Each structure stands twice: as C-alpha cells, then as structure tokens.
Amino acid sequence: MARFSLGILGRLALAAPALLLATPVQAGVGDLLVAPTRVVLNGSRGTEVILNNIGDDVATYRVSAELRRMTPEGKLVDVELPNDKEKAAQEMILFAPRKVTLPPNQPQAIRLSARAPEGLPDGEYRVHMLFRAIPAPQPVAAPKKVEGVAFQLRPIYGVTIPVIVRLGNLEAKAALSNVRKVVDNGKPAVALDINRTGSRSVFGEIRVLKAGVAKPIAMVSGIAVYTEIGQRSVTLPIDPAVAASATGQVTVQYVEPTDTGPVTIAETSAVLR
C-alpha cells in the first residue's frame, strides 16, 4: 500500500519513524476491525491505520480526531475545554480520508502524519482517532398505531485509538506500589498503583509472577499512564487456572514494548494474602 508522508518540522525524536505496537493487534467493534490500536509518531514520516469491514454488508465510517483525558482510575473522558497543549495536538495531526465506504472484507488505509508549528515546545501531544459507523438509511415503513411515545434505538459502533506525537528527547520512569489482593466483581484480583514521572507517557503489560508457577497468575496488556496524570490504579483479574497459587511472595513487572523488544520499566515484590 502507498505510504503517506508530511514533514514534521524540527524536533521530532529520531528513534523511529512511527512506533506501533510490537505485536500487531486489532480492535473490533460491531463489524469494524482497526489495526494497529496505538500509534506513536517519532519521526518525519507518516504511517497508516488499516480499517477492515468484516460484516456482510457495505458500511460507511467517519474518521475524526477527538480529545480525551485519562483519570487516575484509567478511564478516558471527553475534553470539554481543551488546554493549549490539547489544541496544538488536535491541530497538528493530519489524516485522510475522513470518510470511507467499505464493501465486506475490504480494507482501507487511513494515512496519518503530523505537522508541528514553529516554536511548539518539546513534549508529548495526543489525540484519539475515532472510527464511527454511519448508520445506513432505513426503508420507510408504514406507520404503526402506538399508544403514547415510541422510540426506535439504533446502535452506532465506533473504535478509538490513541495517536501520540513526541517532540524532543523525552524520558519517563515508572514505579509500582500498593500491590494487594482484592475481590473484583466477586472474583479474586490483584490491585496496584502505577506511578509515572517524566515528560512522556508509559505503556505496556502488567505481569504478576510467582516462583514455581509457569505462567503469570495475573496479566493485563495495553496499560497506559498518560502525561496528564502521575498515578493510575489498575486491577488485574487472577487467572482461575492458578488461583490456588495466588498467595505469598510475588514479583510484579511493568513491561513496555520497544522497537528492539520488550523492556521491563518497573518491577517490585509483594506478598499477597
């Protein structure tokens, strides 16, 4: 497929043109698959996000750049009053096309790039790309006699992925704390806090390991701590297959994907009771 490139002025870190997830991943909602599920632009070249209609009918999708903020609980909430940094992020991200119509099993590349204005401070800038289905027109049916008020609900599906631009030589550190065993929705789980410092976000997989147990007793991927927060709480369900082993001394790791392979950016020991 054709590549898309628009110059990013000046100070983009040169570690890689675009850092995607180390392992290709797809996010699906309704009949839409999106890959990759996270994009980090570190250089002057652009990249692509692939949409794929896996449904049985022709579908139309609208593409937009939205602003989200992360809460200390890890939720992403809509931004009603963007600050200067958020406004700059939304203005510098370039993408096309903004609307696609796909036959069944037909992929489409959305071309992504960024253009940083002169004088923009170094830092990490983020938008969230929203891929939303546009409902097909419905045939007009004969009116039915109803009593009172009637509603017809039609679900609208969408997929959101973060797109991050990094300007300058940014660094971040992470630490894990407050590791404990809890009950979440009636099932055993491990809860902990991720503490982040530095000028960029962190992202990766949390693993809870126990000596003598072949696989992690708990593991969750795709855990980010964005720059607007310094601490995030995370709860990991314990694997039922090894739930009986989920007590005593454990090692907890936070592993970040990189171009050269996964890197452990934080590790701690704890005792689960």
Side-chain angles (χ1 to χ4, degrees), residues 136-161:
Q138 296 294 307
V140 178
K144 296 180 180 179
K145 185 177 180 180
V146 295
E147 298 292 337
V149 179
F151 295 94
Q152 182 179 15
L153 300 179
R154 297 176 60 192
I156 299 177
Y157 299 107
V159 175
T160 305
I161 69 169

Side-chain angles (χ1 to χ4, degrees), residues 69-77 180 184 191-194 220 222-226 228-236:
R69 285 183 195 153
M70 179 171 279
T71 70
E73 296 75 35
K75 296 181 180 179
L76 291 171
V77 298
R180 62 208 184 274
D184 185 46
L192 57 92
D193 295 330
I194 306 173
V220 175
I223 301 297
V225 185
Y226 291 134
E228 57 265 33
I229 59 174
Q231 184 182 80
R232 172 181 172 178
S233 300
V234 178
T235 301
L236 300 78

